Amino acid sequence: MAELIIYSERIKDNIKKLSSFFEQNHIEWSLVTKVFSGDKTFLNAILTPDVTEKINSIGDSRLTSLRNLREVNPNLRTIYIKPPAKIYADDVVEYADISLNSSLSTIESLNEAAKKKDKIHKIIIMIEMGELREGVKRDDILGFYEKVFNLSNIEVIGIGSNLGCMYGVEPTYDKLLQLSLYKELISAKFNKDLKYVSGGTSITLPLVENGVAPKDINHFRIGEAAFFGVSPLENKRFQDLYTKTFEFYANVIELEKKKIVPDGIISEASIGHTSKYNESDIQETSYKAILDFGLLDVDKDDIEVEDKDISFVGITSDMLVIDVGLNKDASGKVKYKVGDKVKFSLSYMGVARLLSSKFIDKVYVKEI
């Protein structure tokens, strides 16, 4: 079976370094674990007390993942990092100490759910800052907050935004300054102290590092930097974090010399994806290897084979075909045979999909 290698100690070291970085900059942060889909083995391996002690909360976008977090460690403070569906208000209040919200009717449902459980549910209200994803429109902010402040079992602890997540709108100083000014406006209008301005994600880290983030931005929601060591704005390593935290190995289950051009009438019935070919190569052959994973496990665009002599041929639901050319190394020796492994590097989404696949082995490596 294909294997996803997880360097758990490197990830834990990244998290500790980020905690120190934020502490030095007087910022609280939430660790976003959605890449691991609530996997309990991961939660036990990574979220040890020495790792979580300086993290404000652990966040996820799936209620089942938050439930698993609570089962692994009932003392963890949890945050639901996307606007919840009204129908799940009871579960949100049960499994999340904090939730991000942008719908008044949903917040009202959370208030009723909190009443039934005799709880105060904390929320951060998200503001639309140009990314066109979740968020209250800016011209509705004061009226929106006024209505929410009147709810008995809801405590508004902050204002937030998501930038760089869909269209890639950059979290510039001006954008973040606007967010902090809205916080000041709301605080002055209603005489309320909003503790958090949650405008930071992994993409915003360089602004803090360079000292150009507004001082009021005091809460970050971080996933990619913790698990991959990079800030996605330029996909560069952030400070001295580990970037080699995941590796993917697939097994060669067949290796034969075959034609480059398919033989027969090509219909529209294919469920896979293939590379282009030239009809002029109809007599040409090369060595093709079949690997033991497919589209059910990961999208081909989220993986990259490390051997640059290998090229993509096609992928179906459970197999990937690659072209290994003459299958010889520089000295003329055979490079691959059935039973060998082929190594891939992965994007964030590649790791997320492989982790959620039940057909992929997950192997935790403890050494740095």
Side-chain angles (χ1 to χ4, degrees), residues 247-248 250 291 293 303-306 320 342-346:
E247 293 172 348
F248 180 50
L291 307 181
F293 72 96
I303 59 174
E304 184 176 355
V305 66
E306 295 206 348
L320 179 108
V342 177
K343 184 180 179 182
F344 293 83
S345 56
L346 301 157

Side-chain angles (χ1 to χ4, degrees), residues 97-165:
D97 297 298
I98 308 164
S99 61
L100 307 184
N101 285 271
S102 59
S103 166
L104 180 60
S105 63
T106 299
I107 298 171
E108 289 170 341
S109 294
L110 291 170
N111 183 60
E112 293 304 313
K115 275 184 188 178
K116 288 187 291 184
K117 296 179 185 294
D118 195 26
K119 287 183 175 183
I120 299 296
H121 184 68
K122 296 177 173 62
I123 68 169
I124 293 173
I125 295 177
M126 303 299 284
I127 308 300
E128 161 54 36
M129 298 293 292
E131 182 72 359
L132 301 181
R133 213 177 75 163
E134 80 272 23
V136 179
K137 291 191 295 184
R138 281 167 273 183
D139 56 2
D140 292 340
I141 290 176
L142 293 179
F144 192 97
Y145 269 85
E146 182 175 22
K147 292 169 184 172
V148 175
F149 282 141
N150 288 326
L151 298 175
S152 60
N153 289 64
I154 294 293
E155 180 184 354
V156 184
I157 62 170
I159 186 172
S161 72
N162 253 321
L163 292 167
C165 291

Side-chain angles (χ1 to χ4, degrees), residues 206-331:
L207 272 70
V208 179
E209 182 182 34
N210 297 326
V212 294
K215 295 299 181 185
D216 280 347
I217 305 299
N218 62 359
H219 180 258
F220 272 56
R221 308 178 306 275
I222 300 290
E224 193 159 354
F227 298 117
F228 297 87
V230 299
S231 173
L233 183 59
E234 295 179 342
N235 203 35
K236 288 183 178 179
R237 181 186 185 189
F238 182 68
Q239 295 195 346
D240 61 345
L241 300 183
Y242 287 102
T243 57
K244 299 294 184 181
T245 48
F246 299 92
E247 293 172 348
F248 180 50
Y249 292 89
N251 298 292
V252 177
I253 57 176
E254 179 190 294
L255 200 158
E256 297 288 345
K257 193 174 187 179
K258 297 183 181 182
K259 287 186 176 182
I260 292 176
V261 177
D263 180 16
I265 298 172
I266 306 298
S267 73
E268 298 296 322
S270 170
I271 61 169
H273 301 292
T274 58
S275 61
K276 294 181 180 179
Y277 56 85
N278 294 318
E279 291 289 351
S280 59
D281 292 330
I282 193 166
Q283 299 301 323
E284 300 296 321
T285 59
S286 64
Y287 282 90
K288 307 291 195 306
I290 299 179
L291 307 181
D292 60 339
F293 72 96
L295 282 170
L296 290 177
D297 308 300
V298 68
D299 191 295
K300 70 177 183 64
D301 293 330
D302 292 322
I303 59 174
E304 184 176 355
V305 66
E306 295 206 348
D307 184 344
K308 301 307 177 186
D309 293 329
I310 289 175
S311 59
F312 169 77
V313 176
I315 187 169
T316 59
S317 61
D318 54 5
M319 289 184 282
L320 179 108
V321 182
I322 54 175
D323 189 320
V324 297
L326 297 176
N327 196 29
K328 298 287 180 68
D329 62 18
S331 64

